[in-house]
Amino acid sequence: MFDYLPYIREWNFPHIWCSGCGDGIVLKALIRATDGLGIHRDEAVMVSGIGCSSRTPGYVDVNTLHTTHGRALAFATGVKHASPNLNVIVVTGDGDATAIGGNHYIHAARRNIDITVLLYNNYIYGMTGGQVSPTTRKGDRASTAPFGSIEPPFNISGLAKAAGASFVARGDVYNVKKLEKLIKLAIQKKGFSLLEILSPCPTAWGRRNKMGHPVQLMEWLRDSTVSMEKWEKMTDEEREGKIRTGVLHDVARPEFTDEYAKLVKRLKAEK
Amino acid sequence: MPVKISDKIRMMTGNEACAEGAIAAGCLFFGGYPITPSSEIAEYLSRRFPIIGGKFIQMEDEIGAMGSVIGAALTGMKAMTATSGPGFSLKQENIGYASMAEVPCVIIDVQRGGPSTGMPTLPAQMDVQQARWGTHGDRGVIALTASSAQETFEQTIHAFNLAERYMTPVVLLIDEITGHTTEKVTLPDYDSIERVDRKRPTEPPETYLPYKYTDDCIPTLAPFGTGYRYNVTGLCHNETGFPTNDPKEIERLILRLTEKIVKNRHEIINCKRTMLDDAEIAIFAYGSVARSARQAVLQLREEGIKAGLLEPTVLWPFPSEIVLKIAEQVDSFLVAEMNLGQMAREVELASKCKASIHRLNRVDGSPISPPQIVGKIKEVV
């Protein structure tokens, strides 16, 4: 039995998440992953914005920074640039990272700064009561889309890849072992690593869209997610309604703090 | 770039003097975004920081720049940004965060005219109330001003010292005239500069409380990565740094954020006085306007008019007690400023009707000249 206690701030429990929420599953997978990598807690900084997912750092016994809405990546960039030896993990959500924080998202990816981003995609603004978010699917109902959303959703993994992230992956809260493995890979990767984690909100999204029971949402994840290996062998018809999970993109690109260190070295040599 | 006149004397703009002052203060992080008329500060530091061990980054926007500064400051670095009116507006939410989480940092605002895009290349003093009330919520505020390149150099160092001493963001408000005027700056011996560094915890991590209530109301935040693992949040929090909904804890925090500045105001407030001892009319002016006012006082005295100048180098906290004392002595005040009376309101409040208050305002992007002040005083005396 894995002992979570040394990694959590027990006095902050019970957590704020609704019953049936997948965010606690991510929390546990994250703790197991960091334990497996032997990351020193004093050298880990978890930075978050505002929203349900952004409450994660408060429960983890590392250096934790709960910032303003959308700005976690900006704060994290300052931490990492100032102290490149620190292991910086950003925990954010679909609204936090790709709506109000969209600019920081694309530019942190462009810089390829060595930050690991765990982006919980719950398809909605959960904490504020279920408003439509950039990842709400077209036709889904939300408190501010009572007749169904008329907008297409963002492909947030694709966005990170296009902007320049060196590692992009997608996991979910049903395939927990796989999630743990993906978190490990994302942290290990030098450069900007984006891990999109499907953690659909039962309270604010599922309930309005005939998937209100957490078990139903788990079944949906089980049935609609497919591995990359499977995806490659599928026809376009078979891919309809399915979601790829696994490592979507993994390349070597120059990393920002390394490039800055190189610049410093070059200027010293020229002196 | 500055022109070297001698070992210690440079010809430099206010913006260059600001950047050099930051280096002298021990600042090693700059996160910024280009905006006229402040960009030369970023340009100067982008050249210097990689050579002297500092970290420079041009962020994707003004909001991100402020965020990066707070993040860097939490690792123990002295960190700053520079901007102007529109950028200062955008930064306000994160400046409030720095107040709430008590993260020391410095924000330079080289003021231009507004509202909105306004007058990018022309001077104004229209952000002085924004410095006080720009972010939502109640909190204590420290904002400084400077009227020359020399003073900008010195006030930048002072801004870092106050930020580290009181664990708060500190704003330095200069204006386009000061930022872009090239003049003589005498640099001190950098080893002799008095630098304040934030308190470091002396207790072991097991008993450490980042926001512990102490007599001086100032918290002790350990730099990230030094073994003190704690939580920083913009939510109302208790001594541990974790969010709280306890009304008593919330009230204690919000009162402390104001009290740590108000209680220590006598250490923070500073005013320069010119010929005030026997003055019958006092000019209240700050920033580049104070330079015109100094000239005006000399001319008025030559003509037999007993004028004096009160020049606050710290605008917030406002020097209310000093203003009241002068109001009890003089017949009237003339508040000269490049806005529509933003500080005149404060002078009126502070002087408690002991003197009549006159205003000289200019909002057309032109400086207030000495003859203008002289003319206005002759009109009201």
Side-chain angles (χ1 to χ4, degrees), chain B residues 310 318-330 333 347 349-354:
Chain B
L310 180 69
F318 187 76
S320 301
E321 284 114 328
I322 295 171
V323 167
L324 177 60
K325 220 167 180 186
I326 295 168
E328 284 166 346
Q329 169 204 320
V330 299
F333 260 110
V347 176
L349 274 171
S351 59
K352 296 183 175 165
C353 302
K354 303 281 184 197

Side-chain angles (χ1 to χ4, degrees), chain A residues 16-253:
Chain A
I16 61 150
W17 298 312
C18 306
S19 358
C21 175
D23 290 7
I25 295 170
V26 188
L27 172 63
K28 290 176 86 174
L30 170 66
I31 289 171
R32 289 194 304 274
T34 49
D35 175 77
L37 293 173
I39 288 171
H40 199 291
R41 281 178 293 157
D42 286 341
E43 284 153 20
V45 184
M46 280 183 77
V47 188
S48 65
I50 297 294
C52 299
S53 57
S54 288
R55 287 305 192 89
T56 305
Y59 306 121
V60 188
D61 189 16
V62 296
N63 304 282
T64 54
L65 176 56
H66 178 229
T67 72
T68 46
H69 196 19
R71 316 301 168 199
L73 273 166
F75 282 67
T77 298
V79 171
K80 187 69 188 179
H81 189 22
S83 300
N85 58 314
L86 294 173
N87 208 317
V88 182
I89 299 170
V90 165
V91 182
T92 180
D94 43 299
D96 195 49
T98 66
I100 191 167
N103 205 26
H104 313 304
Y105 185 71
I106 55 175
H107 286 278
R110 174 181 63 82
R111 262 179 217 116
N112 199 34
I113 187 164
D114 187 22
I115 292 172
T116 303
V117 181
L118 307 181
L119 195 166
Y120 302 18
N121 181 1
N122 67 352
Y123 296 92
I124 205 91
Y125 283 89
M127 190 166 270
T128 46
Q131 295 79 17
V132 67
S133 98
T135 58
T136 305
R137 300 172 309 177
K138 194 170 181 180
D140 281 354
R141 287 172 195 272
S143 69
T144 49
F147 312 109
S149 172
I150 56 168
E151 298 177 24
F154 239 150
N155 173 351
I156 50 186
S157 298
L159 178 61
K161 181 184 167 186
S166 56
F167 182 91
V168 179
R170 189 186 289 124
D172 65 272
V173 294
Y174 176 79
N175 297 290
V176 181
K177 276 286 170 198
K178 188 172 177 178
L179 177 63
E180 186 184 326
K181 201 182 100 196
L182 290 172
I183 295 173
K184 272 188 189 165
L185 290 174
I187 293 173
Q188 279 172 310
K189 179 74 181 185
K190 178 100 179 178
F192 186 86
S193 315
L194 181 270
L195 174 59
E196 177 187 355
I197 302 167
L198 308 180
S199 178
C201 171
T203 310
W205 179 68
R207 198 165 44 88
R208 282 192 182 83
N209 292 287
K210 299 190 176 118
M211 287 200 285
H213 201 281
V215 174
Q216 243 179 309
L217 283 175
M218 281 296 180
E219 286 166 353
W220 175 67
L221 285 175
R222 182 195 64 198
D223 299 338
S224 53
T225 56
V226 290
S227 67
M228 292 300 290
E229 299 78 44
K230 242 190 196 164
W231 179 268
E232 295 304 329
K233 291 174 199 146
M234 287 162 79
T235 63
D236 283 351
E237 225 166 62
E238 289 168 328
R239 286 176 180 174
E240 195 63 38
K242 301 288 184 197
I243 307 164
R244 278 182 293 172
T245 59
V247 178
L248 306 176
H249 177 68
D250 186 2
V251 293
R253 269 189 75 218

Side-chain angles (χ1 to χ4, degrees), chain A residues 9 12 41-42 55 58 61 63-66 68 71 74-75 78-79 81-83 103-104 107 111 260 264 267, chain B residues 50 54-56 58 60-61 63-64 67-68 70-71 74-75 77 94 97 225 227-233 235 242:
Chain A
R9 290 158 167 165
N12 273 341
R41 281 178 293 157
D42 286 341
R55 287 305 192 89
D61 189 16
N63 304 282
T64 54
L65 176 56
H66 178 229
T68 46
R71 316 301 168 199
F75 282 67
V79 171
H81 189 22
S83 300
N103 205 26
H104 313 304
H107 286 278
R111 262 179 217 116
Y260 195 86
V264 169
L267 293 171
Chain B
K55 300 291 173 73
F56 175 89
Q58 182 175 314
E60 51 275 10
D61 56 36
I63 300 170
S68 73
I70 298 169
L74 281 165
T75 72
M77 266 190 186
N94 280 344
Y97 182 94
Y228 294 84
R229 300 184 302 270
Y230 60 101
N231 188 53
V232 180
T233 179
L235 285 165
F242 289 100

Side-chain angles (χ1 to χ4, degrees), chain B residues 112-374:
Chain B
R112 63 193 234 190
S116 189
T117 312
M119 303 176 281
T121 60
L122 299 175
Q125 296 176 313
M126 294 181 178
D127 298 347
V128 292
Q129 288 289 350
Q130 188 183 192
R132 179 65 190 88
W133 300 108
T135 198
H136 58 284
D138 278 311
R139 63 188 183 124
V141 166
I142 302 179
L144 315 180
T145 179
S147 66
S148 66
Q150 181 73 46
E151 227 178 72
T152 302
F153 176 87
E154 288 156 10
Q155 286 289 74
T156 304
I157 298 171
H158 193 43
F160 278 101
N161 286 346
L162 290 171
E164 296 279 321
R165 166 85 179 86
Y166 297 106
M167 297 299 283
T168 186
V170 172
V171 176
L172 171 57
L173 296 154
I174 60 173
D175 55 61
E176 189 275 337
I177 298 175
T178 310
H180 282 164
T181 302
T182 301
E183 51 189 338
K184 188 179 108 176
V185 176
T186 307
L187 301 175
D189 179 2
Y190 281 18
D191 294 331
S192 72
I193 290 171
E194 197 192 321
R195 295 184 190 89
V196 177
D197 292 307
R198 70 193 79 167
K199 291 188 285 186
R200 295 287 282 264
T202 49
E203 66 271 45
E206 299 77 52
T207 57
Y208 170 67
L209 288 170
Y211 297 98
K212 192 174 173 179
Y213 290 100
T214 52
D215 289 341
D216 65 359
C217 297
I218 299 160
T220 306
L221 298 189
F224 281 172
T226 55
Y228 294 84
R229 300 184 302 270
Y230 60 101
N231 188 53
V232 180
T233 179
L235 285 165
C236 284
H237 46 271
N238 57 25
E239 290 179 296
T240 66
F242 289 100
T244 179
N245 278 326
D246 179 341
K248 271 195 192 123
E249 300 263 30
I250 292 168
E251 187 185 38
R252 219 167 146 191
L253 169 69
I254 300 303
L255 289 178
R256 189 172 61 72
L257 292 181
T258 292
E259 275 171 8
K260 73 172 178 179
I261 308 298
V262 173
K263 270 189 185 169
N264 294 302
R265 68 187 182 283
H266 299 300
E267 285 175 37
I268 303 167
I269 286 168
N270 190 42
C271 291
K272 287 186 177 176
R273 303 163 66 100
T274 308
M275 299 185 180
L276 272 175
D277 290 348
D278 64 341
E280 286 164 4
I281 180 157
I283 304 168
F284 181 102
Y286 51 92
S288 62
V289 181
R291 298 176 75 154
S292 295
R294 263 175 253 153
Q295 192 64 35
V297 166
L298 295 179
Q299 197 184 322
L300 288 161
R301 285 277 172 170
E302 266 176 31
E303 294 179 34
I305 297 169
K306 286 188 172 175
L309 169 66
L310 180 69
E311 182 188 340
T313 60
V314 178
L315 288 178
W316 307 111
F318 187 76
S320 301
E321 284 114 328
I322 295 171
V323 167
L324 177 60
K325 220 167 180 186
I326 295 168
E328 284 166 346
Q329 169 204 320
V330 299
D331 300 325
S332 52
F333 260 110
L334 175 70
V335 185
E337 49 189 340
M338 290 186 284
N339 57 49
L340 288 180
Q342 293 193 17
M343 292 313 275
R345 288 159 38 105
E346 302 301 324
V347 176
E348 270 169 9
L349 274 171
S351 59
K352 296 183 175 165
C353 302
K354 303 281 184 197
S356 55
I357 313 294
H358 304 280
R359 298 171 178 217
L360 174 57
N361 306 115
R362 191 150 194 182
V363 291
D364 62 354
S366 310
I368 294 177
S369 66
Q372 238 189 316
I373 297 173
V374 169

